[in-house]
Amino acid sequence: MGSRSNPLSVRDLHEIEVEKLRGVGPKRKDALQKMDLITLGDLLTHYPRRYLDRTRQAAIADLMEGDEATIVVKVVRTDLRRLRGNRVMVTSTVTDGQSRMTLTFFNQRWRERQLQPGLEAIVFGKMENFRGRPQMTSPVVDLVGDQTGKIIPVYPQSEKAGVTSADLARYIAEALRRTVTNDDARSIIDPIPSCVLSDRAMLDRSTAMHRIHVPETHEHVSEARRRLIFDELFRMQVALVRRKRHLESTQRGVAHQAQGPLVRAFVGALPFPLTNAQRHAIGEIDRDLERPVPMHRLLQGDVGSGKTLVAVSAMLTAVDGGHQGALMAPTEVLAEQHHLGIRRLLEGLEVPEPSSLLGTRPLAVELLTSRTSAADRKRILAGLAGGLTDIVIGTHALLQEKVQFHSLGSIVIDEQHRFGVEQRAALREKNADGTVPDVLVMTATPIPRTAAMTVYGDLDVSVLGELPPGRTPIVTHHVDAPGTLDGEPPLQLEQMWAELRASVAEGRQAYVVCPLIDESEKLEVASAEETYQRLAARELEGLRVGLMHGRIPPDDKDAVMDRFRLGELDVLVSTTVIEVGVDVPNATTMVILDADRFGIAQLHQLRGRVGRGAHASMCWLVASPTTADGQSRIDALVGSTDGFELAEVDLDLRGEGTILGERQKGKNDLKLASLRHNREVVVDARNAAIELLDDDPELSAHPALADELVFFASDNDEAFLLKG
Ligand code: ADP
Ligand code: MG
């Protein structure tokens, strides 16, 4: 590989294997492969995780206990000690030339080999004081070797593969030398239109690539990062906006008539006025529904914000025009609960039926899940195909091929985060005449707006940012109770049960959510039954206690829920099946056992079962968190009832991969950009993408960008992008 005259594309960079680089060779190649660094492209986008400024190093003697610092040290000696229970401790005495300190590692036997006397390393950690001597426990150790320069990149490295930050810096410098010439830095193709770059005063890609790895100043680093972050987000947005437009131009939808007689009758019969937020969202949805292009809209609203009514309005609009509506929930229990609630909301509504005596018949709302009996299933399938079923509520059983609709006008998908994109696509193929139903996706787990824009880039977004009036805020307590409920209850627990009983004495009701057992539903049910029995015999003795879990037959489930709703039960002991959809305003106490085992979103959902009426509500989180994350989740819930705020914390704790889900895995991963920290850039990139695609929808004037999109697209996207 000599010096290149033709600029290289991202695709080219991913076709050159690292083995071709001087100094790599077959053995190192294997090590790099373990780190997923296979091509020059991988190597060049293996960005430094931080930088070390040689001119700003800390000295051990200047540091106070609790300070976080980066120190360049030399190893003096390293010892391994065996502890009880087959554990080991490695301690290493290091010096910065002036003073010494100790590094301590537990159960990292290999540190003994790594930290040989004489080795130079950079350690990053928190200064502690151990018996009067400075110490760091489990610091980050980087072996940067004898790199020159004032600012040294520190790379994510792999101890296991034996690849140090210094090795990586060497290989990357070599890769840059081969691809980006320093003086004429133009040998990586820049796919971003030059006006987009100049409007934002951004570096070209080659320069940015060079500077992020070999900066001379801190400004170099920040300029390069700014450009490369924009690269990632712009690419993503162009792909998303393009897909959205593609769908819009190729799909034929139903142009509904909004605010028809059924919708007006339904809204008119509600015992309360719609909130402004609901009115606004329904307005946005109505405008979509009236267009001949299928709607793809996301409805975001915190727990209890009243999304159900908005969903029902969208389904009824379809029925008003002689079409059908469907609601798809992620679990059977949720489908059952939605069915109960929606059937009640729609009671008494009539639809035209020319063949009947009075010219009308009752609006038909059916439930279709895998638990539906064979006879019912047959009847419902016939009703859907013949048009006698107006609204169907179900799970992904609705997606089965056998389910054919007379004319599916709108679909509501609840809790999109548990649904795959393909499932959404499958539902769109239900109409024989080729029309595509309007799709409304509801999420009760609020996703920060920019993240939503990215994840659901092909969806428009409506937000219910206001709760119905008359709610009283929920007060949340953390009860630290070691173990589960075994043994003598600690004082706090006793107090909790006493308060629960006091509120029941005042006529209120309560939920107790049993520990989550991920491994198996069977174990979870067993534990719920055990908890139920114990509570009924002890803490809740004398109260009317019911039990609810996923394995209870549907009819019994309805019976239990009805009794609770009617106030015939004081306390409902339950697994997480009550997470969404249960709506009993008189229930004001929520107890969640082993709360640290639940995720933030789930806790927020569960807590949202109370605080639905005018009475003050309480949520008790019983937990002795064993991890820092567990503690943070509890703290977050105690500190906030705002779903958007909690979603942000969640994003922080879990990282963004979980939010991006399946779709963004693989090559398309964001390496530098963060949806949380680079919100303005997400918005900016989206606007730039829209502007570009307005001018050049097919990207015919931007072949390099088009090629890069195809290269980065997931298999799913690829078909469309190649086609488009
Ligand atoms: P979400 O699905 O968004 O969590 P729901 O649709 O279940 O919320 O509504 C929560 C509760 O608020 C229900 O009891 C519902 O009847 C009530 N509700 C909805 N809209 C209003 C409104 N405009 N005014 C008063 N209460 C409302
Ligand atoms: Mg709901």
Side-chain angles (χ1 to χ4, degrees), residues 303-304 306-308 338 414-415 442 444 580-582 605 609 612:
V303 178
K307 291 183 294 297
T308 313
H338 271 305
D414 194 10
E415 302 295 304
M442 299 199 286
V580 186
V582 173
Q605 287 291 336
R609 297 311 105 204
R612 299 188 151 234

Side-chain angles (χ1 to χ4, degrees), residues 308 335-346 565 581:
T308 313
E336 285 160 17
Q337 282 161 5
H338 271 305
H339 178 241
L340 275 180
I342 289 174
R343 211 176 40 189
R344 204 170 321 115
L345 278 173
L346 299 180
R565 201 172 286 113

